[in-house]
Amino acid sequence: MLVGVDGSDLANKAFMEAVEVAKRNDAELYVAHIIPSTVYVSPDASVYAKMTAMEKDRVKEQLAANIRYANNHGLTKVTPILEVGSPKKEIAIRIPEEYGIDLIMLGITGKGVIERMMMGSVAQYVSAHAATNVLLVK
């Protein structure tokens, strides 16, 4: 089972729901945070590398907190996944194929209305393109 997190309230709610579903089904939970590769745009590659490294450090702390929460709630099979790339494609296609995921859980959106209109939400993309079942949490 895979849950995508991005630090938003709805992603955190989806994570907590995913912990409960994984516990009930004795499933392994993969917790994925994908740092969008388009976040830091700079003509200087060293600035991009520094910003990405800083973001990775911050996300590693969040993922460690997610694992502690899951462990404290009785779930022992938890695997963090931290990648830089397209959250939509990583969560919908690559990660499920690589890890044999049979259920993806996501919060409905972590973006504002304008950003969703311009880029579309990750949840919308995943629900349309994933080869496996998708459970959206409101």
Side-chain angles (χ1 to χ4, degrees), residues 82-102:
L82 170 58
E83 300 287 342
V84 176
S86 166
K88 295 174 181 182
K89 292 178 182 174
E90 292 290 316
I91 292 171
I93 301 163
R94 194 194 64 75
I95 293 171
E97 286 177 359
E98 182 175 332
Y99 293 93
I101 302 298
D102 56 13

Side-chain angles (χ1 to χ4, degrees), residues 14 31 36 38 43 45 47 52 59 65 77 84 91 124-125 135 137:
V31 183
T38 58
V47 170
T52 301
V59 170
K77 297 183 280 186
V84 176
I91 292 171
Q124 187 177 31
Y125 181 92
L135 178 61
V137 178

Side-chain angles (χ1 to χ4, degrees), residues 44-122:
D44 183 352
S46 67
V47 170
Y48 174 82
K50 282 182 191 175
M51 296 301 287
T52 301
M54 287 172 50
E55 182 68 2
K56 279 185 175 181
D57 289 341
R58 185 186 67 76
V59 170
K60 284 177 187 175
E61 289 176 21
Q62 286 180 339
L63 287 171
N66 289 136
I67 290 170
R68 282 191 303 276
Y69 175 91
N71 291 160
N72 289 339
H73 286 81
L75 189 61
T76 57
K77 297 183 280 186
V78 186
T79 302
I81 299 172
L82 170 58
E83 300 287 342
V84 176
S86 166
K88 295 174 181 182
K89 292 178 182 174
E90 292 290 316
I91 292 171
I93 301 163
R94 194 194 64 75
I95 293 171
E97 286 177 359
E98 182 175 332
Y99 293 93
I101 302 298
D102 56 13
L103 176 65
I104 301 170
M105 289 183 70
L106 295 170
I108 280 199
T109 184
K111 298 178 180 178
V113 174
I114 302 298
E115 194 173 5
R116 271 196 320 273
M117 286 175 22
M118 292 175 62
M119 298 172 56
S121 75
V122 172

